Amino acid sequence: MPMTEEIYYDEDRNVIPKPIDTVKVLDAYNNELQSGDTVIAIKPLPVKKWTDIKQGEKFTKIKLTDDPELILAKHPKNGEIYLRTEFFKKA
């Protein structure tokens, strides 16, 4: 079996999947975010057809998405909302 980019062999010649490089999700100040973190808005943000986000407003228990620039959070008035990480800092 030829070596490929997806697999490699350990010392005993067992096939082991190559570890996948994970992309870090960073806030506006380059702090790493994890699922379940709390974030705070660093500036007021207008939201179309929903209640605007105020500076200092907290969002708890965020969820990471496939896009490192977006997180999913629950807003008390708007329900679930996607947020751009560039406008939030880790609490």
Side-chain angles (χ1 to χ4, degrees), residues 17-86:
K18 182 178 180 182
I20 299 172
D21 293 332
T22 56
V23 177
K24 290 184 179 182
V25 177
L26 304 175
D27 70 0
Y29 300 108
N30 289 326
N31 297 312
E32 187 174 357
L33 297 173
Q34 307 271 334
S35 286
D37 282 348
T38 298
V39 294
I40 300 171
I42 60 171
K43 65 184 237 176
L45 299 168
V47 181
K48 292 181 183 179
K49 300 182 184 180
W50 286 11
T51 305
D52 290 346
I53 296 171
K54 297 175 184 163
Q55 182 175 356
E57 194 165 354
K58 286 186 180 181
F59 293 82
T60 58
K61 298 181 182 173
I62 64 166
K63 297 176 187 173
L64 304 183
T65 65
D66 292 336
D67 184 345
E69 295 180 359
L70 291 176
I71 54 175
L72 183 62
K74 191 167 187 175
H75 188 270
K77 298 174 185 169
N78 295 340
E80 282 196 326
I81 184 170
Y82 284 95
L83 304 172
R84 294 195 53 85
T85 56
E86 64 187 294

Side-chain angles (χ1 to χ4, degrees), residues 2-27:
M3 292 185 77
T4 68
E5 291 183 23
E6 291 81 28
I7 61 171
Y8 68 94
Y9 297 92
D10 68 3
E11 294 170 1
D12 297 326
R13 301 295 296 165
N14 295 319
V15 176
I16 300 173
K18 182 178 180 182
I20 299 172
D21 293 332
T22 56
V23 177
K24 290 184 179 182
V25 177
L26 304 175
D27 70 0

